[in-house]
Amino acid sequence: MCGIAGEINLQENFAEAKLPTWWAMQATLKRRGPDQEGLFWDGHAALIHARLAVVDVAKGRQPMHLDWQGRHLVLVYNGEIYNTEELRQELLAVGHDFRGHSDTEVLLHGFAEWGEDLLLRLNGIFAFAVWEPAVGRLFLARDRFGVKPLFYAMRGDTLLFASEIKTLLAHPQVKPQIDRRGLTEVLYMGPGRTPGCGVFLGVRELPAACMAVYDAAGWREQTYWRLHDAPCHDSFAEAAAKVRHLVEDAIKRQLVSDVLLGCFLSGGLDSSLIAAVADKYYTASGRRLKTFSVTYRDNERYFKRSKFQPNSDEEFIRRMNKYLNAENHLVVLESEALAPALFEAVEARDLPGMADVDSSLLLFCREIKKEVTVALSGECADEIFGGYPWYRDPEIRAKYGFPWAQSTAWRSEFLRSELAEQIDGEAYINAAYEKTLAEADILTECAGDNRRVKEMMALNLTWFMQTLLDRKDRMSMWSGLEVRVPFCDWRIAEYLYTVPWAFKDWQEHEKGLLREAMRGWLPDEVLWRKKSPYPKTHNPVYLAVVSEMLRQVLADRNAPLLDFCRREALEQLLDSDVQTPWYGQLMLTPQTIAYFLQVNHWLKHYHIEYVDA
């Protein structure tokens, strides 16, 4: 994993005077790539790289060059390709040779051989750019689910791209500005984001499963992959067998690493399955896997059962520790530490995020990095296998709109009156919701629950999962930790999209198909454990701390938050216990207070200028 960036201008001849700007951009990527730095530039292009060395440490340096059949190509790349060896064998068969064993080199040779057709051959997570100096052409691409980020901005004849927004902001042509749309994203969509929207004025993100070309003809962007519906003729037993094979294969492929690797372990179904498969693989090869779990000081004392969080993780972590041969590391977070880390989490994400759900992950990843450089995590199983309440609860499933963000009317109450008159948040959100449903590929004959669940899957993959993947990438890479997500394998998603809801909800168990498919991998009490989301603190001290911090913001007459939000509404928030989640299942009153703290810090730290255009 790494950080990439670049500047392309076909009308300008770059000179050494631009080096300080490129070095400044590279410096912002140091956390993503602490091991090596690289810079290539010629008359019209600069490609910037900061490397986290995981595979072929000695020979995987970037930018990487290749001369092939009269063409010269230069690559910068962030990601991991999990079918590297299969691709290498194909390329060797048609005359390519390799200096090392990195996936970077295979990716570059693969692009030289197949061009954009390479994308549909890849199994992995990636964002990369290939510059071809002789023809003045830049090619950009991002993986099917957008696990790895890629932002860009056009400024006149200049194209800038980068793994993170902060890197674009390090260039003098990109200003920290937002307009009405950006404000609407933060206050109505946040911490989610419209696909392709970078929130900052003129900043875009190449959407998942998209590629783009920039040359003398301008910028051209297109989607190279999407989910397609198809009839499923498999029996339940056949479906379970396919799922078992796909899940096992995805996990095993992602265990390849030349540096230390571990697994997240919450004691829930998804992370436990990954840890169990990895543990067996490691044990068979004479090694001992490291697993990592997180909890909060005194959380068992303050834990509150709810519909969304029926039990805490500690008991199930203990059971998995006895079951596995792995070496478990339990990270105990102090609730008080989550509040100051809220601001660091904003700087990692470059945007307000999921409050302490972000800051706790940032602190957790920092501890994991002390032991390993790569970790596997259970994200994306709920989106693909239908684990969330909005898939299974008929009342929630039937509601119009994004099921994780039913708070539009409440959010409107926070806007200053002059802004509320200009922004129709409900219309903005509804338009995005309708667009996603209209673009979902669903067979005409698919009806009832099956149709609604496919709509839910399209909504989740396009929106909610992107928020979680953003969070996982930024919070982990802030400490130079590479996190892989085996369930986010396009083969699993393609197949599960076609499977009937009755299979996924087998015998009315959430993710029943996954549980049945993976019988034998886990103790029954873990295999059939009811879903419990990412752990959060229940200690009242956290609410007290963030409440006091928001009171201090309200006491500051120059607080930028008050330029956009009503003081009275924020004061009311401090005195209430709102049961409507701000976003998802976890962001209740303490997290909503924390979100506004993050918004204020974001506005202040980035010196955001509001452009009322």
Side-chain angles (χ1 to χ4, degrees):
M1 295 298 175
C2 310
I4 66 173
E7 178 176 1
I8 311 294
N9 189 316
L10 303 178
Q11 307 304 317
E12 179 182 353
N13 286 315
F14 289 162
E16 288 189 13
K18 294 190 72 73
L19 283 172
T21 293
W22 298 331
W23 289 334
M25 294 172 71
Q26 188 173 60
T28 67
L29 296 170
K30 184 68 175 176
R31 285 182 170 273
R32 293 188 73 90
D35 298 329
Q36 296 168 357
E37 295 179 345
L39 170 66
F40 160 84
W41 65 282
D42 62 13
H44 301 295
L47 299 185
I48 300 162
H49 192 258
R51 187 184 182 203
L52 178 66
V54 171
V55 175
D56 198 354
V57 176
K59 297 180 180 178
R61 287 180 175 272
Q62 299 181 48
M64 185 174 284
H65 297 251
L66 175 65
D67 291 300
W68 179 254
Q69 297 183 346
R71 299 167 67 196
H72 182 71
L73 304 173
V74 190
L75 167 76
V76 284
Y77 154 60
N78 168 31
E80 293 291 339
I81 306 302
Y82 305 127
N83 62 335
T84 295
E85 288 312 308
E86 292 97 320
L87 294 172
R88 190 192 312 276
Q89 294 307 313
E90 286 189 66
L91 291 163
L92 285 169
V94 293
H96 291 260
D97 58 358
F98 299 91
R99 297 180 302 108
H101 66 276
S102 72
D103 57 339
T104 305
E105 192 176 9
V106 170
L107 183 69
L108 182 53
H109 280 260
F111 183 81
E113 181 67 29
W114 298 305
E116 66 186 45
D117 292 340
L118 166 69
L119 299 175
L120 292 177
R121 295 172 177 260
L122 296 176
N123 182 329
I125 53 179
F126 56 83
F128 70 86
V130 179
W131 169 245
E132 194 164 359
V135 294
R137 179 178 182 266
L138 182 77
F139 180 87
L140 294 161
R142 196 166 172 225
D143 65 74
R144 286 170 169 90
F145 292 111
V147 179
K148 292 289 104 182
L150 186 57
F151 295 92
Y152 70 93
M154 296 294 304
R155 293 294 186 269
D157 294 323
T158 297
L159 167 68
L160 299 162
F161 67 89
S163 295
E164 296 189 3
I165 294 172
K166 62 175 63 68
T167 309
L168 297 178
L169 292 172
H171 195 283
Q173 288 185 256
V174 181
K175 306 298 182 185
Q177 298 174 325
I178 59 169
D179 60 5
R180 195 176 302 169
R181 183 187 181 191
L183 185 62
T184 305
E185 288 281 329
V186 170
L187 295 182
Y188 280 98
M189 287 291 189
R193 243 183 331 114
T194 300
C197 178
V199 179
F200 287 83
L201 186 62
V203 173
R204 301 285 298 163
E205 185 174 27
L206 188 67
C210 280
M211 60 183 181
V213 172
Y214 183 63
D215 58 17
W219 173 270
R220 301 177 308 285
E221 180 182 309
Q222 70 180 76
T223 301
Y224 66 83
W225 177 86
R226 60 187 299 222
L227 284 176
H228 289 289
D229 201 3
C232 180
H233 300 298
D234 290 341
S235 67
F236 179 79
E238 290 168 333
K242 284 185 180 179
V243 167
R244 188 180 182 93
H245 167 72
L246 287 169
V247 170
E248 290 176 359
D249 185 67
I251 296 169
K252 290 174 184 176
R253 285 179 180 275
Q254 298 192 25
L255 294 173
V256 176
S257 174
D258 289 348
V259 295
L260 291 174
L261 177 148
C263 290
F264 284 67
L265 179 63
S266 71
L269 174 67
D270 310 326
S271 66
S272 296
L273 282 173
I274 292 171
V277 176
D279 182 67
K280 183 177 180 180
Y281 179 88
Y282 263 57
T283 301
S285 62
R287 295 175 292 168
R288 194 175 184 204
L289 181 72
K290 293 176 184 279
T291 61
F292 301 89
S293 308
V294 65
T295 189
Y296 302 89
R297 184 82 62 197
D298 297 326
N299 217 40
E300 289 187 336
R301 175 183 173 188
Y302 294 110
F303 179 79
K304 297 176 183 177
R305 296 180 185 273
S306 69
K307 179 179 180 181
F308 294 136
Q309 202 157 15
N311 45 44
S312 62
D313 289 338
E314 284 89 341
E315 175 188 353
F316 296 92
I317 292 169
R318 287 192 290 267
R319 292 183 186 184
M320 284 302 298
N321 287 341
K322 291 179 181 179
Y323 181 74
L324 300 174
N325 184 48
E327 173 190 319
N328 182 251
H329 297 254
L330 179 65
V331 176
V332 180
L333 299 179
E334 302 290 344
S335 296
E336 297 90 335
L338 299 178
L342 288 168
F343 306 136
E344 196 174 354
V346 170
E347 293 165 30
R349 196 192 269 257
D350 296 319
L351 290 166
M354 298 182 75
D356 53 272
V357 182
D358 274 14
S359 63
S360 62
L361 181 61
L362 183 145
L363 295 174
F364 185 29
C365 288
R366 179 173 294 160
E367 296 304 309
I368 295 174
K369 173 64 177 180
K370 294 176 182 178
E371 298 289 334
V372 299
T373 299
V374 181
L376 273 61
S377 179
E379 262 81 6
C380 309
D382 286 308
E383 288 83 357
I384 292 170
F385 286 92
Y388 289 124
W390 45 76
Y391 280 101
R392 304 187 68 251
D393 187 316
E395 184 178 344
I396 299 175
R397 193 167 59 210
K399 281 186 178 179
Y400 178 89
F402 297 115
W404 52 83
Q406 295 280 325
S407 54
T408 306
W410 180 41
R411 290 181 182 229
S412 296
E413 295 176 9
F414 289 96
L415 263 71
R416 291 176 63 101
S417 56
E418 60 270 27
L419 290 171
E421 292 173 359
Q422 300 171 14
I423 297 173
D424 189 339
E426 185 173 1
Y428 188 85
I429 290 172
N430 289 348
Y433 173 78
E434 294 286 354
K435 182 176 184 290
T436 306
L437 293 188
E439 292 175 349
D441 185 71
I442 304 176
L443 294 173
T444 305
E445 61 269 27
C446 184
D449 285 346
N450 277 320
R451 184 172 195 86
R452 184 54 175 161
V453 167
K454 279 194 170 66
E455 291 179 344
M456 284 288 181
M457 189 169 175
L459 290 166
N460 273 270
L461 295 184
T462 305
W463 292 85
F464 194 71
M465 193 170 83
Q466 297 305 311
T467 307
L468 298 184
L469 291 174
D470 268 6
R471 163 182 170 260
K472 184 68 76 167
D473 176 82
R474 304 312 185 279
M475 299 307 115
S476 60
M477 294 302 288
W478 186 250
S479 294
L481 175 70
E482 173 188 318
V483 176
R484 300 173 181 175
V485 281
F487 285 107
C488 202
D489 183 303
W490 64 268
R491 301 169 302 160
I492 297 175
E494 277 194 340
Y495 181 61
L496 266 294
Y497 190 64
T498 68
V499 167
W501 173 240
F503 284 10
K504 296 181 185 180
D505 197 42
W506 187 248
Q507 297 182 345
E508 298 185 346
H509 284 292
E510 61 196 14
K511 294 187 283 191
L513 173 57
L514 179 60
R515 297 177 196 272
E516 287 285 351
M518 302 305 288
R519 275 186 182 275
W521 273 111
L522 298 174
D524 281 350
E525 61 268 29
V526 177
L527 183 68
W528 297 101
R529 179 191 177 190
K530 185 172 176 57
K531 174 180 168 52
S532 190
Y534 180 82
K536 68 175 183 178
T537 181
H538 294 267
N539 193 325
V541 71
Y542 176 70
L543 174 59
V545 170
V546 293
S547 296
E548 178 57 30
M549 291 169 70
L550 184 56
R551 288 190 182 95
Q552 292 175 13
V553 170
L554 294 176
D556 179 4
R557 297 179 61 183
N558 297 316
L561 180 65
L562 299 178
D563 292 338
F564 304 101
C565 294
R566 293 173 52 240
R567 177 187 298 274
E568 297 82 359
L570 294 167
E571 290 172 343
Q572 186 176 357
L573 174 64
L574 288 169
D575 295 329
S576 65
D577 184 16
V578 180
Q579 294 305 306
T580 301
W582 180 266
Y583 189 87
Q585 307 160 58
L586 300 179
M587 292 185 70
L588 298 174
T589 300
Q591 290 72 36
T592 304
I593 292 171
Y595 183 74
F596 281 111
L597 288 173
Q598 288 193 314
V599 172
N600 186 70
H601 180 76
W602 177 67
L603 293 167
K604 188 174 183 178
H605 178 80
Y606 289 83
H607 305 287
I608 304 290
E609 177 190 1
Y610 181 63
V611 180
D612 189 9

